[in-house]
Amino acid sequence: AQRVTQPEKLLSVFKGAPVELKCNYSYSGSPELFWYVQYSRQRLQLLLRHISRESIKGFTADLNKGETSFHLKKPFAQEEDSAMYYCAPPYAGNNRKLIWGLGTSLAVNP
Amino acid sequence: DTEVTQTPKHLVMGMTNKKSLKCEQHMGHRAMYWYKQKAKKPPELMFVYSYEKLSINESVPSRFSPECPNSSLLNLHLHALQPEDSALYLCASSQLTGVGGYTFGSGTRLTVV
């Protein structure tokens, strides 16, 4: 199986503090990776994909092939950022079993 | 329309029942997926359809039977489920397999009694 790992199950920060959610991947080739977010009582939604190199809701993520990482960062956390965040590979259609990260629950305290 | 719609939102079924979950998207996506998500866990891939053809079955028990009647619809037929099958069942779609991220539905909360 080719997988991503999120080492932190829970991350708690204060409002206005920087936040970094870690994601490392273990598969070879040119990975395509995504961050998904699940707010309380809402559907899972795509937050970022590494190919687009965009910033959504102030979050950015850079693929670091040397460190095999795709960490999610935001310089100033807001209370509304509190949610579960998943780092995930796409399904590539070639029977490789691709496993999502276990998720990091981010709590932004006032 | 940029949404994936799933019905029903909640379902309670007995172990001898037969029921179906439905999923619909009108974004022109040609890949559709069923995922199972247990509480506080990431989604687990169950089935992948690409151009209305089943391309992967991730060792899912036969009591789950997917169907893709057309490019917009995806069904999951349920029969003789076990209590441990209780979970949130998510449908997702993407432009193609491996292209773009998923758009997820809000899920069907299934309880097997």
Side-chain angles (χ1 to χ4, degrees), chain A residues 18-56:
Chain A
V19 63
E20 180 180 69
L21 291 90
K22 292 184 167 50
C23 171
N24 291 91
Y25 62 91
S26 66
Y27 52 97
S28 57
S30 295
E32 184 180 8
L33 284 165
F34 304 88
W35 277 100
Y36 289 88
V37 60
Q38 195 166 30
Y39 300 103
S40 179
R41 302 179 192 280
Q42 293 188 29
R43 68 181 67 192
L44 202 55
Q45 53 188 285
L46 178 64
L47 180 62
L48 278 178
R49 41 192 270 189
H50 89 276
I51 286 179
S52 62
R53 300 188 64 81
E54 56 197 343
S55 173
I56 302 290

Side-chain angles (χ1 to χ4, degrees), chain B residues 25-82:
Chain B
Q25 58 90 11
H26 295 288
M27 294 176 282
H29 289 175
R30 302 315 298 268
M32 296 185 76
Y33 313 80
W34 280 114
Y35 277 86
K36 174 182 178 180
Q37 187 179 26
K38 291 277 204 179
K40 300 190 188 301
K41 300 286 187 186
E44 295 175 48
L45 183 63
M46 298 175 73
F47 301 105
V48 180
Y49 273 84
S50 179
Y51 288 89
E52 296 100 73
K53 286 186 169 35
L54 183 65
S55 67
I56 192 77
N57 171 343
E58 288 283 353
S59 304
V60 179
S62 60
R63 55 186 184 269
F64 294 92
S65 174
E67 179 197 16
C68 190
N70 60 53
S71 60
S72 300
L73 294 174
L74 188 65
N75 298 322
L76 185 62
H77 303 298
L78 314 172
H79 174 55
L81 295 194
Q82 303 297 310

Side-chain angles (χ1 to χ4, degrees), chain A residues 7-19:
Chain A
E8 300 140 331
K9 205 171 177 179
L10 176 64
L11 186 62
S12 183
V13 301
F14 286 105
K15 178 182 171 182
V19 63

